Amino acid sequence: MATLNTKTFNQLVSDQVAAIQSRVQQLIDFAIGSILRSIVESNATVSLWFQGLLLQILAITRAATSTGTDLDSWAADYAFYRLAATYATGQVTFSRFNSTFAAFIPVGTQIQTSDSSPEVFAVTVDTTNPNYSATLNGYNVPALTVSISVPVQCTTLGSVGNVLAGLCKQLTGSIPGIDTVTNANPFVNGLDAETDTAFRARFVSYIGSLSKATRNAIANAISSVQQGLTFTLTENFNYAGAAQPGYFYTVVDDGSGNPPSALLTSINNAIDAVRAFTVTFGVYGPVLETATIALTVTSTNHAADAVLVQAAIAAYIATLGIGASLPYTKLAQLAYDASPTITNVTSVTLNSGTADLAASAKQRIIAGTITVS
């Protein structure tokens, strides 16, 4: 939008006074409280109102300057819509002190974080979990089994459900035979509704994808299914690695490391709408590669700094997309950056070695045990 010649209230008053005074032969009284001063200030107030209306009209007539619902209605003319917020998901482990008898965890069981946050997480269905019972709609904990892990989902949309490891450890009600619950890994895939900046950037990609049957069109189709997706595209090879002209596959992750089958189906349908005729494809979730890390830090505040180092490393690994490698030397940098009181970092190992952890186009690296001594 071109630079507009807008004026402040004082400038409008000053311009009127100068124009009136220049057209008379005698000095005019514009003192505060005078009738002419009141008229001039009234005119300036009305002019500011008109100026504000014009600026608002100019802003909502272009996608680059529209915001919020105005931007939504602008893009809706092109059948383009803002991506909704998503629920944070993850795995929690239910444990008990006495495993003599069997126990049962119903779907919908709720847990909370140990701090004052109001967010609640509910147990969800995972048909691939060997402990899940469709008949009972829940998870069986057999006798002599101390703990089992089950999936949960935050009941509130958005990033508020992204909690650090070890914080989800409060049951909202009692479960016979179950004593404790905790999350070994952080939840990182809860997202707020798409921002205006991201919405505009995706709209540009959308316009460029309208030719269809191109790599950009397929990438736009995937990214438009929901927020927070990372993916790789491999062409002319099948998933097993054998050459297959006219075939491509995509590996997609929603941040959880285990995208649900419903999401993979939605992505499959989105790609099918833009692929070229006779071209075939496949959609897969990532193969998880666990990073087990150990290091020693020297610090004047060791206990608190060890927690900060663990959190910093886990947060960094959570940002690694599919196919992104984990540099070995990055671990020391993250440790030093975690706290100014850390003076030395030694004995760093990554999966018991000192080499980078590489990831293929099928793999995503996730944090395993992070030991800071």
Side-chain angles (χ1 to χ4, degrees), residues 262-350:
L263 174 60
L264 297 182
T265 299
S266 297
I267 293 171
N268 186 90
N269 295 337
I271 294 175
D272 193 46
V274 300
R275 69 174 177 91
F277 186 57
T278 74
V279 170
T280 55
F281 66 95
V283 180
Y284 303 91
V287 176
L288 300 182
E289 180 72 19
T290 302
T292 301
I293 298 161
L295 67 161
T296 300
V297 298
T298 303
S299 169
T300 56
N301 189 20
H302 188 275
D305 284 349
V307 175
L308 293 176
V309 171
Q310 286 178 320
I313 293 175
Y316 174 77
I317 294 176
T319 65
L320 297 177
I322 300 170
S325 299
L326 175 59
Y328 166 76
T329 54
K330 184 71 176 179
L331 301 175
Q333 179 190 345
L334 291 168
Y336 277 118
D337 292 343
S339 172
T341 57
I342 293 176
T343 58
N344 198 14
V345 178
T346 58
S347 304
V348 181
T349 60
L350 174 55

Side-chain angles (χ1 to χ4, degrees), residues 196-229:
D196 288 348
T197 300
F199 184 77
R200 293 190 192 96
R202 194 166 57 86
F203 181 72
V204 174
S205 173
Y206 166 73
I207 295 299
S209 74
L210 294 180
S211 58
K212 310 291 186 183
T214 63
R215 186 183 185 90
N216 285 341
I218 294 167
N220 180 74
I222 296 171
S223 62
S224 295
V225 172
Q226 75 171 46
Q227 291 190 90
L229 297 181

Side-chain angles (χ1 to χ4, degrees), residues 166-199:
L167 286 187
C168 284
K169 55 184 180 181
Q170 182 175 328
L171 293 166
T172 60
S174 62
I175 304 177
I178 298 296
D179 299 307
T180 65
V181 63
T182 189
N183 61 312
N185 295 305
F187 300 161
V188 296
N189 58 331
L191 295 169
D192 297 324
E194 189 175 26
T195 64
D196 288 348
T197 300
F199 184 77

Side-chain angles (χ1 to χ4, degrees), residues 237-263:
F237 287 89
N238 62 25
Y239 187 74
Q244 184 176 335
Y247 178 88
F248 71 90
Y249 69 88
T250 180
V251 178
V252 186
D253 185 33
D254 62 350
S256 68
N258 185 28
S261 57
L263 174 60

